[in-house]
Amino acid sequence: MTAVDLGLRLHLALAAAGVLVALAAAPERRARWAGSLAATAAAAGLVTGLAAMAGTEGRLTLSTALPLAPLTLAPDRLGGLFMAIAGGVGLLAALFGIGYAHGPSSSATSWAAFVAFLPSVQLVPAAADVVSFLLVWEAMAITSTVLLLADHEHRPQVLSATRWYAVMTHLGFLALLAGFAVLVAESGGTTLDELARAVESHRQQGGRYHGALALLTIGFAAKAGLVPLHVWLPRAHPEAPSHVSAVMSGAMAGTGIYGLVLIAVRLMPEPPQWWALALVALGIASALYGILQASVATDVKRLLGYSTTENSGLMAIALGLAVLLRADGETGPADVALVACLMLAVSHAAFKTTLFLGAGSVVHATGERDLDRLGGLLPRMPWTATAFALGGLGAAALPVTAGFVSEWVLLQAIIHGARGEGRVVAVVMPLALAAVALTAGLALLTMVKAVGVAFLARGRSEAVATAREAPAPMVTAMLAGAGVLVLLGVAAGPLAVAVAGTVDARGILATSTAGLHLAAVDAGLEPVRLTGGVLVLTALVAGPAILLERRRPRRRTTLPWGCGGVRTSPRMEYTATSYAEPLVRVFGDALRPTRDVAVTRTDRAWFVVREVRFHQQLEDVVEQALYRPLQAVLNRTAELARGVQNGSIHRYLTYSLAALIAVLAAVSR
């Protein structure tokens, strides 16, 4: 029995025990016991994934009562990578949930669903056949839907968010089911290896092959949150418990990316050019639209939800470019782009988990998600502020973090891939480079807003004044996530080499303990030296200022971030809305904001203003332009269809007679 065999069995056993404990434990012990078992099961999945990444083989077959072949779990190197990602995210989320879950999110149903949700996310990349894949995929969808409903009795908006999520995730499932059904019909088998062999032998039969490819892409893109299938993300994340949001964004969205990489690497190693172009187009649209919406959002969890769309877009760009470059004969840059896609998945899991857990800590302490009502949390919640700030550095792709390294690798693939002679590549590369650069700039502005407005300046509500640091399990999870983010950024070489090994990408070399050399494009990066240089430069700039400040007479200051001067009231400081106002004006045609200004004047003179109130609302443009009209058409169609069933037995008999005549007419032919 290999380490993978043992790990899969242990993982499932611990998860089953966790579900039973969640259902049977006393309420006061449920979070501690169920959370501990969930964390242990996630850790077992993490170790199993790492073993599979290292090349250890293993297989677990599960017999069912269905007239089908046994379910098979056998992760390869690529599946092991995404198992490890989901295991790490699940471990931190379960630890955080021990201190965070209270009220509806600590019920027996919620904990049982959470413990079942974690292994379903981890086992998607371990599935070796279509039936296993779809069953685990659906289990992931059902358990996450139950978790999203945790607080539906107290907040009506939870039901609306759950409806959107359930509809989108199950439409994606139907697309996957149809796509896999086409491939199974062609291959006559259900294992992924049989599907890959059938695709290779029937590649020239374009119609069915391209149809299956399009359906699978739709299903995976919906789970990854790519535009225009992203609408569930900004709705579901604000309403889900924060530790659940961390798993949904850091790990579950990654299963969609895993599916797309699976297509390009294993099922259909030479996809058609239109598929690569579609991926790049979807990626550019998702990256730009996601970060633009995040930059103007004031709900911190909605902001992070749109940020997930942005990061998924960057991964789609990298994967699409890898396919295009390989078809153009540029194998070196293609390998670098593919590695960049996987490194982006790893870094996204690290910083997005940290950010969602940090947002959960703020919600736990203040009950607020609106950045306009936060502020001044740094002295009250220093550990949360530190972890959230480091997560923001990763999301903004700044040095010392894995986010910087992964986007640097992507930029190297774009810059060196642009030297190819293909016309399509020559057109696509500049567009991709511009999109990545603009996305990085907007991401920096977004994270400065989130960190600065939430933790600096003055508090803007009573809840902030009474906020206290999170309990020890929550702080430990947040700091661990931030530490992993920094560690992966510093140890760029080992990370890139490990990731490259999962897809047999050559030309990725570790030049030292932490350094990274991309031999295929002759580019190198030394994160330790870069970090040291940044620290030295910071010391040279800040050191003299600190020394001069110490020599001056001490004066009383109460404002961490004064925006150029001392403010006597929080109303005089920047809010998230005012900070993003220039972006709203610049991108007004794309965002289409709705503004309302109410001016209250005094009774004595019309020109004396007593109060001015400004209200701005930003809706999802894609939802308003695409889904709302479609929803209206479906509602009208449903209303018309109701006339068919009016309770008349005579009409029902007429329907039966007409159906019988139609069947007889068809058979007689």
Side-chain angles (χ1 to χ4, degrees):
M1 180 180 294
T2 67
V4 173
D5 295 327
L6 180 61
L8 289 172
R9 287 173 169 79
L10 182 61
H11 179 64
L12 290 175
L14 289 170
V19 171
L20 295 176
V21 167
L23 296 174
E28 63 273 12
R29 299 186 181 91
R30 183 180 298 127
R32 187 182 304 110
W33 290 2
S36 298
L37 282 171
T40 307
L46 170 62
V47 174
T48 304
L50 293 175
M53 282 182 64
T56 304
E57 296 182 354
R59 180 176 295 269
L60 175 63
T61 57
L62 302 172
S63 301
T64 66
L66 300 175
L68 299 170
L71 305 182
T72 304
L73 302 175
D76 58 4
R77 289 177 179 266
L78 177 63
L81 171 63
F82 283 88
M83 275 195 74
I85 291 174
V89 173
L91 174 60
L92 296 179
L95 180 60
F96 185 89
I98 294 175
Y100 173 83
H102 57 87
S105 60
S106 66
S107 66
T109 301
S110 294
W111 267 112
F114 181 73
V115 177
F117 177 47
L118 295 184
S120 65
V121 177
Q122 287 185 266
L123 294 179
V124 165
D129 64 278
V130 172
V131 178
S132 302
F133 188 96
L134 292 176
L135 284 177
V136 179
W137 188 278
E138 183 64 4
M140 178 176 66
I142 293 174
T143 50
S144 57
T145 303
V146 173
L147 289 167
L148 186 55
L149 281 169
D151 204 19
H152 72 280
E153 293 183 353
H154 301 88
R155 292 185 291 123
Q157 60 270 31
V158 172
L159 288 176
S160 175
T162 305
R163 291 192 195 99
W164 278 90
Y165 173 70
V167 169
M168 294 303 298
T169 194
H170 282 91
L171 286 177
F173 174 78
L174 290 177
L176 291 179
L177 180 63
F180 277 123
V182 173
L183 297 181
V184 169
E186 290 291 332
S187 66
T190 60
T191 67
L192 298 182
D193 291 335
E194 290 173 325
L195 265 58
R197 287 194 293 269
V199 168
E200 183 64 28
S201 60
H202 296 81
R203 185 178 298 277
Q204 302 304 322
Q205 298 179 6
R208 294 182 179 181
Y209 169 74
H210 293 303
L213 182 57
L215 289 169
L216 292 176
T217 303
I218 291 172
F220 291 130
K223 188 62 70 179
L226 296 177
V227 172
L229 305 171
H230 71 287
V231 289
W232 64 270
L233 274 165
R235 286 179 170 271
H237 282 309
E239 311 307 334
S242 294
H243 61 304
V244 176
S245 296
V247 181
M248 292 174 68
S249 179
M252 189 181 75
T255 61
I257 299 299
Y258 165 74
L260 295 175
V261 177
L262 184 69
I263 291 174
V265 172
R266 187 173 177 184
L267 291 181
M268 308 173 186
E270 297 180 9
Q273 188 180 70
W274 69 261
W275 186 75
L277 292 174
L279 269 189
V280 174
L282 287 175
I284 291 176
S286 301
L288 293 177
Y289 184 81
I291 196 57
L292 185 58
Q293 287 287 352
S295 65
V296 299
T298 58
D299 185 314
V300 63
K301 294 185 69 177
R302 184 178 177 88
L303 179 154
L304 296 178
Y306 275 119
S307 176
T308 299
T309 294
E310 173 233 341
N311 295 119
S312 294
L314 292 176
M315 298 176 216
I317 291 174
L319 181 59
L321 293 181
V323 175
L324 276 179
L325 290 169
R326 192 173 302 280
D328 197 44
E330 298 290 335
T331 57
D335 285 345
V336 174
L338 183 57
V339 171
C341 174
L342 299 179
M343 291 184 69
L344 284 166
V346 175
S347 64
H348 170 256
F351 67 69
K352 196 53 63 66
T353 300
T354 303
L355 287 170
F356 266 114
L357 297 184
S361 179
V362 172
V363 174
H364 181 269
T366 65
E368 290 285 351
R369 299 195 318 251
D370 190 352
L371 290 171
D372 287 342
R373 294 181 56 80
L374 293 173
L377 288 174
L378 176 60
R380 296 175 176 82
M381 306 179 69
W383 295 118
T384 298
T386 301
F388 196 90
L390 288 173
L393 288 177
L398 292 178
V400 196
T401 66
F404 168 76
V405 175
S406 57
E407 289 203 22
W408 178 84
V409 175
L410 174 58
L411 288 173
Q412 295 303 317
I414 295 174
I415 293 171
H416 292 86
R419 300 173 182 176
E421 299 180 356
R423 295 181 180 180
V424 174
V425 172
V427 173
V428 170
M429 288 302 175
L431 296 176
L433 180 61
V436 172
L438 180 56
T439 300
L442 291 175
L444 178 59
L445 292 175
T446 301
M447 291 303 139
V448 169
K449 178 188 74 173
V451 175
V453 173
F455 295 97
L456 304 178
R458 295 176 184 265
R460 298 180 177 87
S461 65
E462 293 295 331
V464 171
T466 59
R468 296 292 181 271
E469 186 57 271
M474 297 169 61
V475 171
T476 302
M478 288 185 292
L479 293 179
V484 170
L485 176 63
V486 174
L487 178 62
L488 293 177
V490 173
L495 171 63
V497 171
V499 166
T502 64
V503 288
D504 295 328
R506 301 176 181 178
I508 311 296
L509 304 173
T511 57
S512 63
T513 304
L516 170 62
H517 179 61
L518 305 178
V521 296
D522 194 21
L525 178 67
E526 292 289 342
V528 175
R529 295 181 182 178
L530 179 62
T531 303
V534 170
L535 294 176
V536 170
L537 181 62
T538 302
L540 292 176
V541 174
I546 294 174
L547 292 175
L548 290 175
E549 182 65 24
R550 288 185 175 181
R551 292 182 179 181
R552 294 179 181 178
R554 291 185 175 273
R555 57 185 179 181
R556 184 180 179 183
T557 58
T558 59
L559 194 60
W561 191 29
C563 302
V566 176
R567 306 293 188 241
T568 59
S569 169
R571 290 171 57 85
M572 301 172 66
E573 297 172 340
Y574 272 102
T575 62
T577 300
S578 58
Y579 182 90
E581 180 63 18
L583 287 175
V584 176
R585 292 183 180 275
V586 172
F587 297 100
D589 293 338
L591 295 172
R592 300 179 185 177
T594 301
R595 296 187 177 94
D596 180 41
V597 180
V599 180
T600 304
R601 306 181 187 275
T602 62
D603 298 333
R604 297 182 179 180
W606 66 269
F607 54 82
V608 179
V609 176
R610 176 187 299 170
E611 184 182 52
V612 178
R613 289 186 175 273
F614 173 79
H615 177 71
Q616 177 175 277
Q617 186 172 0
L618 292 163
E619 299 288 346
D620 192 299
V621 178
V622 175
E623 178 183 324
Q624 296 296 321
L626 178 61
Y627 290 96
R628 291 297 183 184
L630 179 61
Q631 186 180 22
V633 171
L634 293 176
N635 287 338
R636 288 195 296 269
T637 304
E639 289 294 332
L640 294 174
R642 291 178 63 182
V644 176
Q645 184 178 0
N646 65 348
S648 171
I649 188 65
H650 301 289
R651 181 173 295 187
Y652 297 160
L653 291 174
T654 303
Y655 295 156
S656 300
L657 179 61
L660 178 60
I661 293 174
V663 171
L664 292 175
V667 172
S668 63
R669 292 181 182 179

